[in-house]
């Protein structure tokens, strides 16, 4: 049983390594925050911005600014079409992200919050784009 455990660990590490190797390179001209923000702002879609965010993340509090750009990009797809109740529900989902790591110290938790918020915005964008324009 112990031998199986030792053999399984390298297989897991190889799998994780392959997934990491397949990850996209950050398309910004440098790792400077302004360069990454510029690339995020130029992203043609919410989903593309989210991929860039994942590729360029710092894993620290700097991700808050990247996440804000992604949120705005995604919100452009749906926010104006939400009613008052839907906007409150969306705000509540974002607040859940804020609350999730509020009591944790360390900059990586700010990154986790930024990704959580961006993912919420991305889900709403995808849902809105899938539904298409509202009939008038």
């Amino acid at each position: 049983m112990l031998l199986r455990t030792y053999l399984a660990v390298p297989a897991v590490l190889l799998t994780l390594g392959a997934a990491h190797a397949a990850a996209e390179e950050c398309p910004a001209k440098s790792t400077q925050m302004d360069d990454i923000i510029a690339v995020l702002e130029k992203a043609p879609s919410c989903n593309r911005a989210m991929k860039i965010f994942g590729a360029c993340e710092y894993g620290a509090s700097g991700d808050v600014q990247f996440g804000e750009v992604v949120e705005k990009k995604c919100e452009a797809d749906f926010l104006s079409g939400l009613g008052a109740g839907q906007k409150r529900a969306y705000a509540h989902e974002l607040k859940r992200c804020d609350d999730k790591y509020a009591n944790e110290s360390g900059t990586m938790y700010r990154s986790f919050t930024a990704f959580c918020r961006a993912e919420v915005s991305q889900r709403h964008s995808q849902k809105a784009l899938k539904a298409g324009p509202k009939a008038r």
Side-chain angles (χ1 to χ4, degrees):
M1 178 79 107
L2 192 57
L3 181 57
R4 257 189 269 155
T5 302
Y6 284 121
L7 292 176
V9 171
V12 169
L13 292 176
L14 284 174
T15 302
L16 291 174
H20 184 65
E24 180 177 331
E25 292 277 331
C26 179
K29 66 181 181 180
S30 77
T31 58
Q32 295 295 312
M33 184 171 287
D34 290 343
D35 291 336
I36 295 170
I37 288 173
V39 170
L40 287 168
E41 289 174 340
K42 290 178 185 170
S45 68
C46 169
N47 286 339
R48 182 68 187 133
M50 193 65 186
K51 283 187 183 211
I52 293 169
F53 184 20
C56 298
E57 71 173 294
Y58 287 168
S61 59
D63 290 346
V64 171
Q65 290 176 281
F66 302 155
E68 288 172 353
V69 174
V70 174
E71 279 182 59
K72 286 183 185 0
K73 176 78 65 178
C74 295
E75 286 174 348
D77 294 335
F78 68 89
L79 197 58
S80 65
L82 296 182
Q86 293 169 312
K87 284 183 181 178
R88 280 192 302 276
Y90 173 62
H92 178 71
E93 285 183 66
L94 294 176
K95 185 173 180 338
R96 286 179 58 201
C97 290
D98 295 339
D99 293 345
K100 188 172 184 178
Y101 303 107
N103 295 324
E104 301 293 340
S105 61
T107 61
M108 74 178 180
Y109 292 105
R110 305 304 70 88
S111 175
F112 295 167
T113 299
F115 269 96
C116 179
R117 290 177 61 96
E119 289 165 356
V120 166
S121 297
Q122 182 185 33
R123 278 194 306 275
H124 280 269
S125 168
Q126 291 169 338
K127 184 178 175 184
L129 293 175
K130 185 177 179 182
K134 289 187 176 182
R136 295 181 191 248

